[in-house]
Amino acid sequence: TLSPEPPDASHPLLNLSAAAASRLLLTPHTAGVTLGSYKRMIEAALENMARVVRGEKPASIVNGISERR
């Protein structure tokens, strides 16, 4: 991810030598959003919900809260 996005024309990555630029691939921030990635996110969310319903801890805890309240 570049900051800001889109980068200004003076951004260092847009002013590389030809050799360096030929090895660089810049993509928009949403480059990883694919049908496959959405499918995996939904499957993981559903599996985590099922784990919690069964009284298990979710596989992926992202907010630091791991115990029931």
Side-chain angles (χ1 to χ4, degrees):
T1 302
L2 298 173
S3 182
E5 208 173 285
D8 184 82
S10 65
H11 193 286
L13 288 176
L14 300 180
N15 294 290
L16 297 173
S17 67
S22 71
R23 297 187 308 270
L24 176 69
L25 175 65
L26 296 175
T27 62
H29 189 94
T30 59
V33 179
T34 64
L35 185 58
S37 68
Y38 275 124
K39 183 176 184 252
R40 286 187 298 277
M41 285 187 283
I42 297 217
E43 288 171 349
L46 291 172
E47 175 57 27
N48 271 336
M49 286 186 272
R51 289 174 64 94
V52 170
V53 167
R54 293 190 302 260
E56 302 170 11
K57 287 186 177 181
S60 304
I61 299 171
V62 296
N63 62 1
I65 299 171
S66 60
E67 300 300 322
R68 284 185 155 174
R69 295 183 184 183

